Amino acid sequence: MKNYLYETAVLLCLALLPGSGASAQERSALRTSGPRFAVRTNALYWATASLNAGFEVGLDPRTSWEVAGGYNPWTFGDNRKLKFWTAQTEFRYWLRRRFAGHFFGLHVLYADYNAGGVKLFGMGDRRYEGFLYGTGLSYGYQWVVGRRWNIEAMLGVGYIRSEYDRYVWKRCGRFLGSGRRNYFGPTRAGVSVGFMIR
């Protein structure tokens, strides 16, 4: 009886694995005929002069795993800055096949930042230095625009926890205290250009 229960549990787990509904022949065809890897860059980061890149690998015909990062090292005139580095990863489930059409994702992210003197989010006369981490769900769509090129639009929502020190934004500004903040709302956004690698 124990062996029967064990075998049933193993079969159930295998049946629930992503892509298990496709036959071995279909999975093999998609692996060999479709792209297996993608590299991309997010145009929204470039709008803030931030360097960024992402790498995605297909796990099976309908799932993929993405790792992405961004970096902004610049300090502008009068000590105005939006410095940060960020890393994020996302598991994606594709409704049709990987790297084409609709997808849903589950992502986690982490960032260190040092920002102030910019009129965004109340930082016009303050500088915030700290870190944040969070998780969320995302939806996106990829358009295939060539044999190896695609364009992706995506938006994610979820939870972020931030811990920071607050200063007057001028150089060597006075320390104003520490704080923490919980945030629910958009956690990812992107309009990206990608290159497919077979």
Side-chain angles (χ1 to χ4, degrees):
M1 181 68 172
K2 286 183 180 176
N3 284 342
Y4 174 76
L5 290 174
Y6 175 76
E7 290 171 2
T8 303
V10 168
L11 288 174
L12 181 60
C13 288
L14 289 173
L16 294 176
L17 285 173
S20 60
S23 71
Q25 186 177 13
E26 289 171 328
R27 288 195 299 270
S28 177
L30 279 170
R31 282 191 188 103
T32 57
S33 64
R36 182 70 192 265
F37 303 100
V39 291
R40 68 176 51 89
T41 187
N42 187 338
L44 299 184
Y45 277 75
W46 291 108
T48 62
S50 302
L51 310 169
N52 74 95
F55 177 77
E56 190 170 1
V57 59
L59 302 177
D60 74 10
R62 289 194 178 180
T63 61
S64 63
W65 191 271
E66 180 200 34
V67 176
Y71 179 59
N72 188 318
W74 320 118
T75 297
F76 305 103
D78 207 14
N79 201 37
R80 297 178 192 276
K81 61 182 76 174
L82 192 58
K83 289 184 171 185
F84 68 87
W85 71 263
T86 183
Q88 50 197 353
T89 186
E90 181 171 74
F91 174 80
R92 292 178 169 182
Y93 177 79
W94 300 82
L95 296 187
R96 186 169 153 231
R97 63 181 173 88
R98 66 180 181 234
F99 305 134
H102 302 274
F103 67 86
F104 292 95
L106 172 64
H107 61 269
V108 294
L109 60 98
Y110 178 88
D112 272 355
Y113 59 88
N114 183 353
V118 292
K119 295 182 180 180
L120 292 171
F121 313 114
M123 294 187 295
D125 59 351
R126 298 284 184 265
R127 181 174 67 84
Y128 294 85
E129 187 172 347
F131 65 92
L132 60 83
Y133 55 89
T135 186
L137 299 173
S138 58
Y139 164 76
Y141 191 90
Q142 282 192 19
W143 293 268
V144 177
V145 294
R147 185 165 173 260
R148 293 192 178 265
W149 296 94
N150 71 10
I151 295 175
E152 173 185 295
M154 60 90 61
L155 180 67
V157 295
Y159 164 78
I160 289 178
R161 169 78 168 183
S162 179
E163 299 185 20
Y164 55 85
D165 292 330
R166 189 171 59 248
Y167 302 86
V168 173
W169 71 268
K170 295 286 187 181
R171 190 176 302 278
C172 300
R174 180 170 46 96
F175 177 68
L176 299 173
S178 297
R180 296 181 186 89
R181 185 170 179 194
N182 295 310
Y183 163 84
F184 294 92
T187 52
R188 289 196 76 184
V191 177
S192 303
V193 176
F195 180 75
M196 303 294 103
I197 304 170
R198 299 202 176 265

